[in-house]
Amino acid sequence: MPQTSVVFSSCLGPSCSGQAQPGMGERGGGAGGASGELIFQEGRLISGSLEALMEHLVPRVDYYPDRTYIFTFLLSSRVFVPPRDLLARVGQIYLEQRQQLEDEPEKAKLKSFSAKIVQLLQEWTEAFPYDFQDEKAMAELKAITHRVTQCDEENGTVKKAIAQMTQSLLLSLAARSQFQELREKLRPPAVDKGSVLKTKPPAAQKDILGVCCDPLVLAQQLTHIELDRVSSIHPEDLMQIISHVDSLDNHRGPPGFLRPAVSSQCRGDLTKTYSLEAYDNWFNCLSMLVATEVCRVVKKKHRTRMLEFFIDVARECFNMGNFNSMMAIISGMNLSPVARLKKTWSKVKTAKFDVLEHHMDPSSNFCNYRTALQGATQRSQMANSSREKIVIPVFNLFVKDIYFLHKIHTNHLPNGHINFKKFWEISRQIHEFMTWTQVECPFEKDKKIQNYLLTAPIYSEEALFIASFESEGPENHMEKDSWKTLRTTLLNRA
């Protein structure tokens, strides 16, 4: 089990508390919440009914929700209610409060209240712009903002803020739409080595060492690609993991690589999982590229050099906090077609590789990796330079942590309340991940190297085995049978 069963209160300080109401009691109605339907513990909101939590989100004249609560509730509420329905309820609560204020003589309170509603909508559209891609949600937003502007016809301050918010929202939606259309240019199809069986690659054919022979530079370019790709992931994308867990559990266990968890079962909502799939696909492509670069080398001496080069690249990735690329490289070298090359590995100085594998040892729930990740996180928090801020976690493990956190803690308590402790912790982990994704890469971009990494042909799994057997023949009956089957398949295909 991932290490997510810690006491939530120890992870969440007062700044993440959702700020309890006056009295700080164990039970309270919040700012406008139904009496007794919000439960606080040591000043932290830990549970409540969905209705009370929604009312706790909406500002009043003398109250504005804690920003951390806004983020956490907007993020987690989609597990229980679609964003457009939540927005509609916010609109209803706003109308109820407005009607009460209209009966009062002090119109300044109404204007103050309207400004706070606009502020809430601004935070919502900035944090979760994709919620408003839905036409019904956009219609609800327009309806609320239209009512709000009626309270500020004199100086137009609120109206101007709404116009700016709408413009920023439309720009965000347009940018994301463009990303989905243009971003993921598919890598050329995997090479079927059957057509070149028993033939050497052309002498002029490039390999990674012909493009970049400096492990540090390659690690920097991999970090560029990682940060570029992970920056397209949004908090609501990660909540899709939870949204689909229950339906997926009817078919399979917890996701290994992300691909099984977000593919066929989620095709109806592809736009919300596109970024996750694209990022997961990058990990798989990098692993296969590493295996391809090793297996397609004809001479053992050159294969040895290639393995040692990738070991050095993985070590540089580790040193700069790029754990995802490091794991992908190690995974590529541990694929069977590469791992079976015993004669080649016997020439490799494996001490550095052993250290890397120690860091990625899966025992005790990847305890060594988690220690390294914690160290990189602390370094990032105290960083004086942008290079020290880089933290790129192993994405598959991050996804598994969110998955298990969701599975081992229930959504609802026995009294029917939403278990908000659980969602504080999920929100905390997602917020930390999003902080890492926003780091600007400090290294100079090398288009030539990046183009090779992103477009170089990679072998299919079958082609990798063929290349591996050509380099070092089968050593046992099982390998001989596999090699014979592969050759027969290729001849029949020809």
Side-chain angles (χ1 to χ4, degrees):
M1 283 291 181
Q3 298 167 340
T4 51
S5 57
V6 295
V7 178
F8 293 108
S9 58
S10 67
C11 300
L12 300 165
S15 63
C16 299
S17 66
Q19 297 305 320
Q21 301 314 304
M24 304 286 280
E26 294 296 306
R27 181 181 296 269
S35 179
E37 291 193 355
L38 290 179
I39 306 298
F40 295 85
Q41 188 177 75
E42 297 180 356
R44 286 180 284 273
L45 175 59
I46 62 170
S47 72
S49 67
L50 179 59
E51 176 63 25
L53 291 169
M54 287 192 289
E55 292 186 15
H56 194 57
L57 175 72
V58 182
R60 288 175 175 266
V61 173
D62 56 352
Y63 163 78
Y64 190 82
D66 179 77
R67 291 194 68 186
T68 311
Y69 174 76
I70 293 174
F71 178 84
T72 300
F73 182 68
L74 290 178
L75 179 66
S76 58
S77 63
R78 65 198 65 236
V79 175
F80 307 99
V81 57
R84 62 176 179 270
D85 292 347
L86 174 60
L87 188 61
R89 181 62 186 131
V90 168
Q92 291 173 358
I93 298 172
Y94 162 69
L95 279 179
E96 293 168 4
Q97 300 303 319
R98 174 178 164 176
Q99 288 171 0
Q100 293 178 14
L101 291 170
E102 285 176 340
D103 295 335
E104 296 184 10
E106 297 182 43
K107 297 300 180 183
K109 288 186 177 181
L110 181 57
K111 289 184 179 181
S112 173
F113 172 58
S114 298
K116 288 180 178 179
I117 290 293
V118 173
Q119 183 181 344
L120 174 67
L121 295 175
Q122 285 176 329
E123 292 198 41
W124 191 339
T125 55
E126 288 173 6
F128 305 100
Y130 202 61
D131 286 353
F132 300 88
Q133 182 112 342
D134 182 278
E135 292 183 3
K136 292 182 179 179
M138 186 61 83
E140 290 289 351
L141 179 64
K142 289 179 179 178
I144 296 174
T145 54
H146 176 70
R147 298 186 193 111
V148 171
T149 53
Q150 294 174 345
C151 301
D152 188 47
E153 295 179 348
E154 294 179 9
N155 56 31
T157 304
V158 170
K159 190 174 183 179
K160 183 183 294 184
I162 289 173
Q164 292 174 344
M165 174 190 72
T166 303
Q167 183 180 16
S168 297
L169 174 60
L170 293 176
L171 288 173
S172 296
L173 291 175
R176 183 155 185 178
S177 177
Q178 185 179 30
F179 165 80
Q180 289 175 200
E181 293 175 4
L182 305 177
R183 169 62 187 277
E184 186 64 12
K185 295 180 179 178
L186 294 177
R187 178 184 289 273
V191 175
D192 181 354
K193 200 171 184 294
S195 59
V196 291
L197 189 63
K198 283 294 180 184
T199 62
K200 295 181 179 180
Q205 185 174 345
K206 279 186 178 180
D207 60 20
I208 188 64
L209 288 172
V211 178
C212 177
C213 60
D214 187 334
L216 175 60
V217 172
L218 189 64
Q220 291 173 347
Q221 298 311 307
L222 287 170
T223 302
H224 252 298
I225 294 172
E226 291 279 357
L227 289 173
D228 184 43
R229 272 163 156 57
V230 78
S231 66
S232 67
I233 295 176
H234 299 269
E236 62 268 31
D237 299 327
L238 296 168
M239 285 301 289
Q240 282 296 112
I241 299 166
I242 292 174
S243 299
H244 289 280
V245 158
D246 294 334
S247 61
L248 288 168
D249 282 349
N250 294 328
H251 303 278
R252 56 174 69 90
F257 287 111
L258 182 62
R259 185 175 60 257
V262 296
S263 56
S264 59
Q265 296 297 321
C266 306
R267 292 301 181 191
D269 210 3
L270 183 61
T271 56
K272 293 185 179 180
T273 60
Y274 178 87
S275 296
L276 303 184
E277 290 186 79
Y279 190 49
D280 181 58
N281 186 55
W282 154 247
F283 180 99
N284 297 328
C285 284
L286 179 55
S287 294
M288 294 296 283
L289 176 64
V290 170
T292 299
E293 292 289 322
V294 173
C295 287
R296 73 187 182 97
V297 176
V298 176
K299 295 183 179 180
K300 181 171 64 177
K301 181 179 179 181
H302 292 165
R303 280 198 305 277
T304 301
R305 183 186 174 203
M306 187 69 74
L307 281 170
E308 291 180 339
F309 174 73
F310 277 120
I311 291 170
D312 287 338
V313 174
R315 187 177 65 164
E316 295 292 353
C317 287
F318 175 84
N319 290 339
M320 65 181 62
N322 181 358
F323 300 108
N324 201 57
S325 286
M326 172 196 169
M327 179 65 103
I329 293 170
I330 292 175
S331 298
M333 290 192 286
N334 280 327
L335 289 174
S336 295
V338 180
R340 65 165 298 276
L341 298 172
K342 295 180 181 178
K343 294 178 182 178
T344 304
W345 278 102
S346 68
K347 301 295 183 181
V348 174
K349 298 175 183 177
T350 58
K352 289 182 285 188
F353 186 67
D354 293 340
V355 172
L356 293 174
E357 288 207 305
H358 172 74
H359 287 306
M360 292 295 122
D361 183 357
S363 62
S364 300
N365 187 31
F366 288 89
C367 179
N368 296 337
Y369 158 70
R370 294 181 187 282
T371 300
L373 178 63
Q374 185 178 16
T377 301
Q378 292 173 349
R379 179 191 67 190
S380 177
Q381 292 170 348
M382 299 182 292
N384 295 318
S385 68
S386 53
R387 294 190 177 207
E388 296 175 325
K389 291 182 180 180
I390 297 172
V391 182
I392 306 173
V394 178
F395 190 56
N396 289 302
L397 293 180
F398 175 78
V399 167
K400 283 184 178 181
D401 282 354
I402 297 297
Y403 174 91
F404 281 112
L405 181 58
H406 172 61
K407 291 302 294 179
I408 64 180
H409 297 284
T410 61
N411 286 347
H412 291 92
L413 300 176
N415 64 356
H417 277 196
I418 290 173
N419 181 9
F420 213 66
K421 269 189 179 181
K422 166 182 174 175
F423 292 103
W424 277 129
E425 179 62 11
I426 290 175
S427 171
R428 184 190 67 80
Q429 292 197 19
I430 290 178
H431 184 270
E432 184 175 49
F433 180 86
M434 299 310 301
T435 300
W436 295 332
T437 69
Q438 294 163 13
V439 172
E440 185 175 348
C441 190
F443 310 119
E444 184 177 351
K445 183 180 291 187
D446 189 314
K447 292 183 179 180
K448 182 180 178 181
I449 297 174
Q450 289 197 22
N451 183 63
Y452 186 90
L453 290 169
L454 295 171
T455 64
I458 57 176
Y459 285 172
S460 65
E461 186 176 357
E462 183 182 75
L464 283 174
F465 271 109
I466 293 170
S468 179
F469 284 131
E470 285 181 346
S471 298
E472 296 185 17
E475 294 188 348
N476 53 51
H477 291 299
M478 185 178 296
E479 286 192 344
K480 288 178 181 178
D481 290 342
S482 298
W483 180 221
K484 183 178 180 180
T485 301
L486 276 173
R487 290 176 62 86
T488 301
T489 301
L490 293 171
L491 289 172
N492 291 338
R493 189 180 299 165

